[in-house]
């Protein structure tokens, strides 16, 4: 047997003293680590506090520096913003010149500003009888032009220049012209339905009369039921898809169908001035007239003194007389010098008076312009109307493409040849509507006896609907648009044909959500040339590019869901207000109203901050690119955040963007970037505060850029500002 394996040695037992030593070492190590941690924490805390102290001291110094130069910066900004009252003064002069040109032209058309001329024009047209539809259409061009001018006067004129009396006068003229134009078209339709030449308008196949008259603003489709054939119930106007499917009771009645399509909307109640500024009354500065007689008297006295002095110098005098003459001459010279000094003082007072008058005028203009600009971005607190069932909310929706007047008319008596004579009965009541369905009926089943009428209409090619249009009808009794009584609506988008059923005929219109393109996804304002910029607004459906120069705006391009879309407004330069109206009428509404915040989720900014930002962006727009920033939604309502960089024709894309935050009283460049994860108001290193956007941008701008800014045209700056105020890119994007 081999040797036995040795047993492993057991664990050595630690003595009590050794255990005590180890515990003591562990405690000392723990205490050392805690002490190191404490010292580290204290050091970090001291460093943090020191950093805070340095940051606070730096912040305090920056604020102190900002306060020291604040007045100087605001004074410089005030001088630059004098372009706004200057632009308003130029626009007033332009309006006055246009009125004078109209007066000197003597073309027979009335001046819409003169109530007497408008009343005379309306009265003379009321007296004209037996006008054909073609004559009415031709006259309607002048009438529509007058209505358009009156509306522009109400929209373009600052509230301080519009008295309530003038507003009521212009709105009254608009309503009278609209009513008279509608009456004239009814009378012309009646004349058309009973002309002797009606037989030439009869369709060979059906034996019924048909007439189509088209114009740029008005289209008339008339069908007269001459044969009363119950089997002929489908009415289609030749060379169109427009028509009606009528029930048997109408196919056998002595009626006519009329579709009067107007590109304009004279049915919706007039609403041009939702709010008026009563705090700003027009002021007339009387010129100073007291200087003229003083100056005249001074000139006469001076002439007399000079004549006396010249007489005394003609003949030589004795010595005593010469001495006396010298004394008298000195006195005379003193009087002349005094008169000259009086004249200089008077001239100086005249200059001061003119200067004071100009300064007062510009100050009043500046206040009026500021009030008008602030009004553009104000939001009403409550919805202005309480809507009934089926009533259309015209704050939420807008009518597009004009109005389709659908009427069933009683066929007037026709001409009858009798023994070489032509007889016709003339009714005093004029054109009469045929009531369908009748108010009272003996039919046991009136719904089947008087079914809805199917209508097919063409949607105008110049109007853009981003969704299928909704059909509404005019309630004549309630004077409102409603959605009931309409069924089976079908829209053929490719052929732009709309088919629906109507319980009873009357004016109908198409509506679209007025805020379908809000809020915006992004925007950018970029210079193109001296006094010319392009404003790009991108929404869910479209991308619009608007060019602005001088006092004009132009739609440069429209992209519909990423594809180029040809719009009839492209390439047409217009002043801002007509341009905005034209875009709205085309369905391209990117202009919030006073009540739009009830229908769109937006980040409403404080109105005064928003106005100040738009004014200064417009001032800088000739030399700098401004763009939407996602951080504008992250900051509160008292601040706006935008991206900005200096524009250069070459290499502009490679230049970095700066994030600017502006509160109306302070501008700063943020440390964060557009792709940062968290919003922070921390100031970018090596930058300062400024009281204005202008001076903040000036810190990193080139002299050439600032020279372009200072040389910008006042009308151009005013137009850019007006578009920004109207689109409100800072609150609705």
């Amino acid at each position: 047997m081999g040797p036995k394996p040795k047993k492993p040695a057991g664990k050595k037992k630690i003595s009590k003293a050794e255990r005590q030593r180890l515990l003591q070492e562990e405690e000392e190590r723990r205490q050392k680590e805690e002490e190191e941690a404490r010292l580290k924490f204290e050091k970090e805390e001291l460093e943090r506090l020191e950093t805070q102290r340095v940051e606070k001291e730096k912040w305090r110094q920056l604020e102190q520096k900002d306060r020291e130069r604040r007045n100087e910066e605001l004074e410089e900004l005030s001088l630059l913003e004098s372009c706004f009252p200057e632009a308003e003064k130029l626009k007033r002069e332009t309006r006055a010149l246009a009125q004078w040109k109209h007066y000197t032209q003597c073309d027979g058309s009335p001046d819409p500003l003169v109530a007497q001329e408008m009343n005379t024009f309306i009265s003379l047209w009321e007296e004209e009888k037996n006008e054909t539809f073609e004559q009415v259409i031709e006259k309607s061009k002048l009438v529509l032009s007058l209505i358009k001018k009156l509306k522009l006067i109400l929209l373009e004129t600052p509230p301080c220049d519009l008295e309530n009396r003038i507003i009521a006068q212009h709105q009254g003229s608009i309503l009278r012209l609209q009513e008279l134009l509608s009456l004239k078209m009814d009378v012309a339709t009646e004349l058309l339905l009973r002309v002797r030449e009606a037989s030439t308008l009869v369709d060979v196949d059906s034996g019924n009369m048909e007439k189509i008259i088209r114009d740029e603003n008005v289209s008339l489709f008339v069908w007269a039921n001459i044969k009363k054939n119950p089997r002929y119930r489908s009415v289609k106007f030749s060379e169109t898809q427009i028509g009606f499917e009528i029930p048997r009771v109408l196919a056998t009645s002595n009626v006519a169908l009329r579709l009067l399509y107007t590109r304009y909307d004279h049915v919706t109640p007039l609403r041009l001035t939702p709010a008026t500024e009563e705090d700003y009354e027009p002021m007339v500065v009387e010129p100073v007239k007291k200087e003229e007689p003083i100056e005249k008297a001074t000139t006469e006295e001076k002439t007399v003194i000079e004549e006396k002095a010249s007489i005394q110098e003609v003949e030589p005098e004795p010595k005593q007389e010469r001495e006396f003459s010298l004394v008298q001459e000195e006195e005379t010279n003193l009087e002349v010098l005094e008169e000259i000094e009086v004249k200089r003082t008077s001239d100086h007072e005249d200059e001061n008076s003119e200067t004071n008058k100009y300064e007062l005028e510009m100050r009043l203009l500046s206040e009026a312009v500021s009030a008008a600009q602030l009004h553009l971005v104000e939001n009403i607190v409550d919805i202005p109307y309480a809507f009934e069932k089926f009533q259309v909310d015209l704050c939420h929706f807008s009518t597009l493409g004009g109005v389709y007047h659908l009427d069933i008319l009683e066929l007037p008596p026709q001409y009858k040849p009798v023994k070489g004579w032509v007889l016709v009965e003339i009714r005093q009541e004029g054109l009469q509507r045929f009531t369908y369905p009748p108010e009272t009926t003996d039919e046991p089943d009136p719904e089947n006896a008087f079914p809805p009428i199917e209508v097919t209409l063409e949607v105008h090619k110049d109007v853009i609907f981003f969704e299928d249009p909704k059909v509404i009808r005019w309630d004549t009794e309630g004077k409102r648009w409603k959605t009931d009584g309409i069924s089976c609506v079908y829209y053929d988008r490719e052929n732009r044909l709309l088919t629906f059923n109507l319980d009873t005929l009357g004016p109908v219109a198409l509506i679209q959500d007025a805020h379908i393109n809000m809020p915006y996804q992004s925007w950018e304002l970029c210079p193109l040339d001296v006094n010319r910029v392009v404003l790009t607004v991108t929404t869910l459906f479209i991308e619009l590019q608007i060019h602005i120069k001088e006092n004009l705006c132009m739609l440069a391009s429209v992209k519909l869901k990423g594809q180029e879309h040809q719009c009839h407004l492209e390439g047409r330069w217009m002043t801002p207000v007509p341009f905005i109206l034209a875009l709205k009428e085309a369905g391209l509404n990117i202009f919030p109203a006073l009540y739009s915040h009830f229908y769109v989720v937006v980040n409403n900014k404080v109105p005064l901050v928003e106005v100040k930002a738009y004014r200064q962006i417009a001032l800088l727009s000739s030399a700098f690119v401004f763009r939407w920033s996602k951080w504008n939604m992250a900051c509160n309502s008292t601040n706006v955040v935008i991206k900005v960089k200096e524009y250069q024709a070459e290499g502009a894309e490679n230049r970095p963007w700066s994030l600017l935050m502006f509160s109306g009283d302070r501008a700063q460049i943020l440390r964060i970037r557009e792709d940062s994860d968290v919003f922070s108001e921390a100031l970018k290193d090596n930058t300062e505060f400024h009281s204005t956007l202008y001076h903040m941008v000036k810190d990193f701008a080139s002299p050439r850029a600032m020279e372009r800014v200072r040389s910008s045209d006042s009308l151009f700056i005013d137009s850019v500002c007006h578009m920004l105020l109207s689109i409100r890119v800072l609150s609705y994007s």
Side-chain angles (χ1 to χ4, degrees):
M1 290 179 65
K4 292 182 179 179
K6 295 181 179 180
K7 293 182 179 180
K11 188 175 181 181
K12 188 176 180 179
K13 189 175 181 180
I14 301 175
S15 64
K16 186 176 181 180
E18 183 68 18
R19 186 181 298 110
Q20 189 68 25
R21 185 184 63 79
L22 291 175
L23 289 174
Q24 186 177 358
E25 289 178 355
E26 181 67 23
E27 180 66 18
E28 290 175 354
R29 185 167 59 251
R30 186 183 61 79
Q31 290 179 356
K32 183 179 179 181
E33 289 177 353
E34 287 180 354
E35 181 66 17
E36 289 176 352
R38 185 183 66 80
L39 292 173
K40 182 180 179 182
F41 174 77
E42 289 179 354
K43 182 181 179 182
E44 290 177 351
E45 184 67 12
L46 288 173
E47 290 177 352
R48 186 183 66 82
L49 292 174
E50 179 64 17
T51 303
Q52 270 189 358
R53 187 190 66 80
V54 171
E55 289 292 334
K56 286 183 179 179
E57 179 63 21
K58 182 181 177 181
W59 192 274
R60 188 190 65 79
Q61 291 176 358
L62 290 174
E63 287 183 332
Q64 179 65 23
K65 191 174 181 179
D66 180 38
R67 283 194 296 268
E68 290 175 354
R69 63 190 177 196
R70 177 175 178 79
N71 290 336
E72 182 182 348
E73 289 184 350
L74 292 179
E75 286 177 4
E76 185 177 359
L77 179 65
S78 178
L79 289 174
L80 291 170
E81 288 189 336
S82 62
C83 63
F84 294 110
E86 288 175 1
E88 181 58 36
K89 186 178 181 182
L90 289 173
K91 289 189 285 187
R92 285 186 176 184
E93 292 172 354
T94 302
R95 289 194 290 267
L97 181 61
Q99 189 175 6
W100 173 250
K101 285 184 177 179
H102 181 275
Y103 176 77
T104 56
Q105 281 177 352
C106 299
D107 57 358
S109 62
D111 186 346
L113 290 172
V114 181
Q116 185 178 1
E117 292 188 20
M118 291 298 298
N119 293 335
T120 302
F121 172 78
I122 293 172
S123 300
L124 290 176
W125 196 26
E126 285 175 339
E127 295 174 0
E128 295 183 15
K129 306 296 182 182
N130 298 327
E131 292 176 286
T132 65
F133 208 92
E134 289 82 358
Q135 291 174 328
V136 174
I137 286 180
E138 189 63 30
K139 192 65 169 285
S140 71
K141 295 177 181 178
L142 174 58
V143 174
L144 294 175
S145 173
L146 293 172
I147 292 174
K148 183 178 180 180
K149 288 179 180 178
L150 287 169
K151 288 182 177 180
L152 287 179
I153 290 169
L154 292 174
L155 291 172
E156 288 183 326
T157 308
C160 64
D161 292 342
L162 279 177
E163 299 178 6
N164 292 334
R165 175 182 59 83
I166 299 299
I167 294 174
Q169 171 190 314
H170 292 340
Q171 290 183 341
S173 297
I174 291 173
L175 292 174
R176 289 184 64 191
L177 288 172
Q178 291 177 350
E179 293 171 358
L180 183 56
L181 180 59
S182 176
L183 176 63
K184 287 290 184 179
M185 288 188 174
D186 284 349
V187 173
T189 301
E190 181 188 9
L191 184 63
L192 177 66
L193 289 173
R194 58 178 173 83
V195 293
R196 284 184 291 177
E197 294 80 6
S199 58
T200 61
L201 304 176
V202 173
D203 182 66
V204 177
D205 298 329
S206 65
N208 295 318
M209 169 190 162
E210 179 184 304
K211 179 68 174 179
I212 300 175
I213 301 175
R214 289 181 181 267
D215 185 71
E216 57 180 342
N217 294 315
V218 180
S219 295
L220 176 70
F221 302 85
V222 175
W223 176 83
N225 191 14
I226 305 296
K227 289 296 183 181
K228 304 176 184 60
N229 187 344
R231 292 180 299 178
Y232 191 82
R233 298 167 59 181
S234 180
V235 179
K236 292 292 181 183
F237 291 95
S238 58
E239 301 180 0
T240 71
Q241 296 296 319
I242 298 173
F244 303 86
E245 293 292 332
I246 59 176
R248 179 183 180 85
V249 63
L250 291 181
T252 57
S253 299
N254 192 39
V255 296
L257 298 177
R258 181 181 73 166
L259 165 57
L260 176 63
Y261 170 62
T262 59
R263 285 289 309 279
Y264 49 84
D265 179 5
H266 289 175
V267 177
T268 304
L270 193 64
R271 187 177 57 188
L272 291 173
T273 53
T276 58
E277 299 290 341
E278 297 180 356
D279 299 334
Y280 289 87
E281 295 294 335
M283 297 183 64
V284 179
V285 181
E286 293 293 338
V288 181
K289 298 182 179 179
K290 295 182 179 180
E291 286 81 355
E292 182 180 352
I294 295 175
E295 182 179 345
K296 184 177 180 181
T298 304
T299 306
E300 291 176 354
E301 290 176 7
K302 184 178 177 183
T303 305
V304 172
I305 292 170
E306 289 176 349
E307 288 177 354
K308 289 180 179 178
S310 61
I311 292 171
Q312 291 171 355
E313 293 175 357
V314 173
E315 297 179 356
E317 298 176 353
K319 183 176 180 181
Q320 292 181 352
E321 293 181 358
R322 193 179 305 164
E323 290 176 357
F324 177 77
S325 177
L326 288 174
V327 174
Q328 191 177 19
E329 187 176 346
E330 289 178 3
E331 293 177 355
T332 304
N333 290 337
L334 287 175
E335 292 178 2
V336 172
L337 290 175
E338 289 176 359
E339 294 297 336
I340 293 174
E341 185 63 28
V342 171
K343 179 65 168 61
R344 288 177 178 174
T345 304
S346 177
D347 292 343
H348 184 64
E349 289 176 356
D350 289 344
E351 292 176 2
N352 288 339
S353 175
E354 291 297 325
T355 303
N356 293 336
K357 179 181 174 182
Y358 176 78
E359 290 177 354
L360 178 61
E361 180 186 8
M362 298 308 290
R363 180 169 60 82
L364 293 174
L365 271 178
S366 180
E367 292 175 359
V369 170
S370 298
Q373 290 176 342
L374 188 61
H375 178 67
L376 287 175
V377 297
E378 286 180 342
N379 299 319
I380 60 173
V381 179
D382 301 317
I383 297 179
Y385 303 106
F387 299 99
E388 300 178 359
K389 189 177 181 181
F390 301 117
Q391 183 180 353
V392 178
D393 180 2
L394 292 179
C395 296
H396 190 187
F397 297 93
S398 58
T399 60
L400 288 179
V403 177
Y404 301 84
H405 299 264
L406 307 174
D407 296 298
I408 306 175
L409 307 173
E410 293 183 3
L411 200 60
Q414 301 296 299
Y415 282 88
K416 295 179 181 179
V418 177
K419 298 181 179 180
W421 293 82
V422 177
L423 303 180
V424 64
E425 179 185 355
I426 304 296
R427 295 178 177 176
Q428 296 295 328
E429 59 270 17
L431 194 65
Q432 296 295 305
R433 265 71 174 176
F434 182 88
T435 304
Y436 179 90
E439 297 177 356
T440 57
T441 177
D442 297 331
E443 293 289 337
D445 189 4
E447 291 187 1
N448 291 330
F450 305 101
I453 301 173
E454 182 181 299
V455 183
T456 301
L457 304 175
E458 288 181 354
V459 178
H460 200 279
K461 60 182 178 61
D462 290 338
V463 180
I464 299 176
F465 284 94
F466 301 99
E467 297 174 344
D468 289 352
K470 298 179 181 179
V471 186
I472 57 175
R473 67 172 185 86
W474 179 249
D475 179 12
T476 306
E477 294 182 358
K479 302 297 181 182
R480 58 175 67 93
W481 289 106
K482 303 186 73 173
T483 57
D484 60 334
I486 303 168
S487 58
C488 303
V489 181
Y490 172 73
Y491 181 52
D492 182 357
R493 183 170 290 272
E494 182 178 354
N495 297 314
R496 301 182 70 85
L497 292 175
L498 187 66
T499 303
F500 54 92
N501 290 346
L502 270 177
D503 290 348
T504 181
L505 295 192
V508 300
L510 311 180
I511 59 172
Q512 181 171 251
D513 186 351
H515 311 94
I516 196 169
N517 286 307
M518 303 175 200
Y520 322 125
Q521 294 182 337
S522 64
W523 62 273
E524 181 182 274
L525 183 66
C526 181
L528 292 176
D529 202 348
V530 179
N531 293 325
R532 183 165 181 172
V533 297
V534 56
L535 175 60
T536 304
V537 180
T538 304
T539 73
L540 180 63
F541 293 99
I542 56 172
E543 178 184 293
L544 296 181
Q545 285 195 344
I546 301 170
H547 286 197
I548 306 171
K549 69 172 184 179
E550 299 172 356
N551 191 32
L552 300 171
C553 303
M554 178 193 72
L555 182 63
S557 69
V558 180
K559 287 185 179 179
L560 186 58
K561 295 182 179 180
Q563 302 294 324
E564 291 289 343
H565 178 81
Q566 192 67 31
C567 180
H568 69 288
L569 296 175
E570 291 183 28
R572 295 171 54 186
W573 290 99
M574 291 177 272
T575 53
V577 173
F579 177 75
I580 292 171
L581 293 177
L583 285 187
K584 286 182 178 181
E585 291 173 358
L588 303 174
N589 186 10
I590 54 170
F591 307 99
L594 294 170
Y595 39 75
S596 293
H597 58 285
F598 290 117
Y599 308 98
V600 185
V601 179
V602 294
N603 181 22
N604 271 322
K605 303 298 180 180
V606 174
L608 188 58
V609 174
E610 200 173 356
V611 170
K612 287 183 177 181
Y614 292 144
R615 285 166 69 102
Q616 295 181 47
I617 289 173
L619 280 172
L620 297 163
S621 60
S622 290
F624 296 89
V625 187
F626 295 90
R627 183 178 287 184
W628 166 87
S629 171
K630 68 178 183 181
W631 300 121
N632 187 50
M633 290 288 291
C635 66
N636 55 35
S637 61
T638 59
N639 291 304
V640 297
V641 177
I642 51 178
K643 290 161 61 176
V644 61
K645 67 179 179 180
E646 182 178 336
Y647 173 76
Q648 290 184 354
E650 298 178 359
E653 293 297 328
N654 299 326
R655 294 180 62 85
W657 291 93
S658 296
L659 275 176
L660 261 65
M661 187 172 74
F662 182 56
S663 65
D665 296 321
R666 174 180 290 176
Q668 66 185 74
I669 299 180
L670 299 179
R671 185 182 299 168
I672 60 172
R673 297 180 303 179
E674 187 68 19
D675 56 357
S676 298
D677 297 327
V678 181
F679 177 72
S680 171
E681 295 185 5
L683 191 67
K684 186 178 180 181
D685 296 337
N686 302 320
T687 61
E688 299 178 349
F689 295 133
H690 283 281
S691 300
T692 70
L693 276 178
Y694 171 82
H695 292 91
M696 188 73 258
V697 170
K698 188 177 178 181
D699 276 357
F700 60 82
S702 66
R704 183 168 176 266
M706 299 313 296
E707 180 59 32
R708 291 184 65 179
V709 169
R710 285 188 289 268
S711 61
S712 297
D713 180 68
S714 59
L715 284 174
F716 162 74
I717 296 173
D718 183 74
S719 297
V720 174
C721 184
H722 188 89
M723 292 305 298
L724 293 174
L725 288 165
S726 300
I727 301 175
R728 299 188 65 183
V729 293
L730 294 177
S731 285
Y732 283 81
S733 60

